[in-house]
Amino acid sequence: MIANVSDVVPRAGARASRQTDTEYVTFRVGAQWLGIPVLMVQEVLAGQRITRVPLAPPEVSGFLNLRGRIVTAVDLRVRLQLPVRAEDSGTVSVVVRDEEELFSFLVDEVGDVMAVGAQALEPPPATLDARWKQCCDGIVRRDKDLLVVVSAREMLHLEQAS
Amino acid sequence: MDDLLRDFLTESNENLARLDREIVALERTPDDRELLASIFRTIHTIKGTCGFLNLTRLEGVAHAAESVLGLLRDGTLTVRPDTISDVLAAVDTIKTILEGLERTSEEPAGDDSAVVARLERWLAGAPAEDATAPAHAVAAPEPTRGTAARDVEVAPAGGGEEAPDGGERPDSKPSIADSSLRVNVTILDRLMNMVGELVLTRNQLIQLSLAEEDSVYLAPVQHLNRVTTDLQEAVMKTRMQAVGGAWGKLPRLVRDLCQANGKRIELEMRGAETELDRQILQAIQDPLTHMIRNSADHGIESPEERRRAGKPERGTITLNAYHEGGHVILEVGDDGAGIDPAKIRQKAVERGLVKAEAAAVMPDAQVLRFIFEPGFSTAARITNVSGRGVGMDVVRSNIERIGGTVDVTSRVGTGSTVRIKIPLTLAIISALVVGTGGESFAIPQIGVVELVRVTEEARQHIESVHGSQFYRLRDTLLPLVQLDRMLELEEAPHSTDYSIVVCQVGEVRFGLVVSEVFDTQEIVVKPIGRLVKHLSVYAGCTILGDGRVIMILDAAGIAACAKVGAADEGRAGQAGDSVAGHEGEGERLSLLLFDTGQPALQAVPLSLVSRLEEFPAAKIEFADGRSLVQYRGALLPLVPADHGITIAQRDPQPVIVFSDGRHSMGLVVNEIRDIVEDRIRIETSAGRPGILGAAVINGRATEVVDIHHFLKLALNEWFEAAPGADARRGKRVLVVDDSPFFLNLLTPILRASGYEIATSDNGRSALERLERGEEFDIVLSDIDMPQVDGLELARRIRQNPAWERVKLIALTGRSSPSERQRGLAAGYSRYLVKLDRDAVLAALAEVTMGEEVAA
């Protein structure tokens, strides 16, 4: 297990990374760092005006305008049942594309892109909260904390909207 | 040039370019089956289209080449350089012909027999490899005996790989292959989006440059402004197509119809170049075909009929398209027999779409609109062309779906014209931008009827009827929907003025209450994402000029969510109801108005009331939880008309007495107000118990009380056997009335008297019950009803000997002597005025007695 940690290399050392490595965009929601494959991410934005959609599921913060395209914003704090953020703290939009539609994950902070070897990705622990487990693809141990690799597709699976 | 031909040329040029590459590649890898199959398919496609376009020369060459390629593909023939050469020569000939075709729109004359002959020798079996035959030599096909036109170019000798030199063309116009391009629509949509973005940025820049005096940016920004506008127009244009594109198949259609019907018809098409959005173009294709069919089949008469009418034997169908103020107008006209309004009237009455009296006074223009009703076809016979019951209603619904309108004008003997008005594009709609609860929304203008600004003074027009709000708009009660409440937004403070957006969805009208109405804008409709797609209150969303995203409301979705008009749903199914002029007319009724402390007045039909009394409070007694009063030697149970009323609080206490002759009940009210007699339209609604519905009476919202409810509260015995009930027991009465109000009112009274009751809400369903074999002793029917009215019902019952013993009693709102006469003539034995309860009961008793005597 401990040997696997060496598979976790920061982007700076990506040159040395093996072919099996996957790059993840990391971001923080509450106190937890999460990651999604970089290939799913279209861009990262800050300070976007979001239009509320009344009656929408609570996870949906609203719509934003990305160069003329409508993006559905999903607040990951609500999605993952974390405490609601203070009103004055800003959010960052991680724009992902799924089935030709654009979504924005509202997160607290965006971190580095990280390359992770296949062996470094451990299955989610059995004790993980059911709501988290549903969208968790695996766990990566980092020096100081754990990075939860999530599935964007599952994140967009809302009970109310189906 | 014909669009079809242009498409064919574009496509063929693309295909031929590929063919050259592929054939050369085949020479190098003769065993590549896939390559062979692809080449075969390409030639096959060209051949197929040639046949369709009647290009015989092209077809001949392509056919020969295809045959050889077929053998190669099947492996019957092996690929040899000389085979390839022959095929290439054929391809070159095809190219040459295509070029001629492009210049003159006609297939150039020429003789391809040499090329074809060289190909055909392969079909007879592979010729011996002939060293002397030049590998790629094809004898130049000689123009036969000078019949070829001068400008015919022939495949150059030995020019297998060399395309004919384009430099020799008489004019240097670029070929179609060069001047048009196939582009994926999604790319155009993206372009459109990006241009929209650019427009927004330009607007911001203009604002910035204007804010600064003597800005150095002013001139370049103005230039940017012009370029952006041009760009926007150009990109919009890429989505536009000529309407003629949807007309290609019509001449053939008309020709086939002529053959099938033995008619002679000329199709004239004008304005084929009129452009509109491709999405709309697709949507009108089917309706257009339908309309042309209709004109050819029902409109234009046979040659003999036309001759007799003094018209030319050949009829004309005109198709005309033109722009008119942001819309495209499409007209399909014919010089045929026209539509006879009398026939339509008759048919509409037969179909129960309208009552005979109403139809008689209806203007012709309105009568003609019946042809757009479902299942309405005036063709006496069914042909295989049209007239299968699917018809103009489909045209109408298709056109309305894309926000268009359709209308028909006609003159008997002269012809008819159907006029369709459609928007230029679906992507852009006109919408009203409103604000409420701190958010903005767009409402498509198409569903908005009017706007009402409600100021402090106008607020008295708002009435509240058991929890629902209504606005009194010209004597109709307009149900109100508070947008902020419905969308769970912050509610606006009630002191401020607000606006009512009057929306119409089908037959239902309602008022949407919003805080502010901003303006009307042309907006681009964008679909909403899958996470909120389930919200039926939205039709989509849009991006405003300042870059904000706002939601577009769906009036139909809002009406459904707020359940406005839900009580009318039962009636909405009866298509004829509104047409028959029932709307807003109502029944003529006498009502007793009283006050129970509710914001709205209460009402009860006067015919149900026995007496109005005032009892001294001291005389009212309370025994085992019930209130009673000594009245005419018996105890009269008292029931408060509202839970807010305390009995005997007033002195004297006003009471409305209801009685069936044996039992009585007193309804305790605060004050008896008035008696009115008027035509009253009662909106039934499932409100709180004890209320049947609401109506506007003397300009005020009034609730109509369900006496049945209070009778039950007061005396359970009321519904137990009444004297004489034994004789009546088992007598089955079918009550037929289109008003749920009267059915509700009458049923309990009749049941209380011992009859078995069944109900039908119109004559047709009553007949259906009888036809199903249900047995009734008495049919008690209203006269004015949609579909099959009371007179018709009586006639039909009397026509059937099986129903000979069924007694008929008419119950009606009107009773002039002539009407009574008509009722009796139709077969009714009694003709009673509605709501005279005692008379109804007496008549029923007499009829049943009479039967027993007769038996």
Side-chain angles (χ1 to χ4, degrees), chain A residues 49 51-57 60 63-70 72 74 98-99 101 103 153 156-158 160-162, chain B residues 193-194 197 200 439 441 486-489 526-532 534-535 537-538 541-543 546-551:
Chain A
R49 182 160 58 182
T51 299
R52 262 181 75 190
V53 179
L55 306 180
V60 175
F63 286 157
L64 53 90
N65 167 12
L66 178 64
R67 295 186 297 277
R69 288 201 59 177
I70 302 289
T72 310
V74 175
D98 184 47
E99 290 180 355
E101 213 183 313
F103 297 91
R153 169 72 51 90
L156 295 172
H157 190 83
L158 309 183
Q160 244 192 294
S162 50
Chain B
N193 269 332
M194 288 190 281
E197 239 354 71
L200 295 182
E439 309 274 344
F441 298 94
M486 144 140 247
L487 297 180
E488 297 165 14
L489 300 169
K526 291 175 184 273
I528 53 177
R530 64 172 195 251
L531 297 185
V532 289
H534 61 291
L535 299 174
V537 292
Y538 303 120
C541 62
T542 189
I543 298 174
D546 59 3
R548 252 188 316 154
V549 179
I550 67 168
M551 303 304 294

Side-chain angles (χ1 to χ4, degrees), chain B residues 449-464:
Chain B
V449 183
E450 62 177 294
L451 291 173
V452 181
R453 182 90 190 134
V454 181
T455 52
E456 202 66 52
E457 309 86 71
R459 200 149 316 154
Q460 58 182 346
H461 291 284
I462 306 269
E463 306 262 5
S464 196

Side-chain angles (χ1 to χ4, degrees), chain B residues 12 47 55 93 149 156 184 211 243 294 304 317 364 395 517 574 580 604 610 688 737-738 767 827:
Chain B
S12 300
K47 188 195 90 172
L55 303 170
T93 312
N184 195 315
V243 70
N294 252 314
E304 308 89 79
I317 296 176
D364 285 356
V395 170
V517 173
Q574 304 162 6
V604 67
S610 292
R688 57 171 210 270
D737 200 314
D738 60 327
L767 280 173

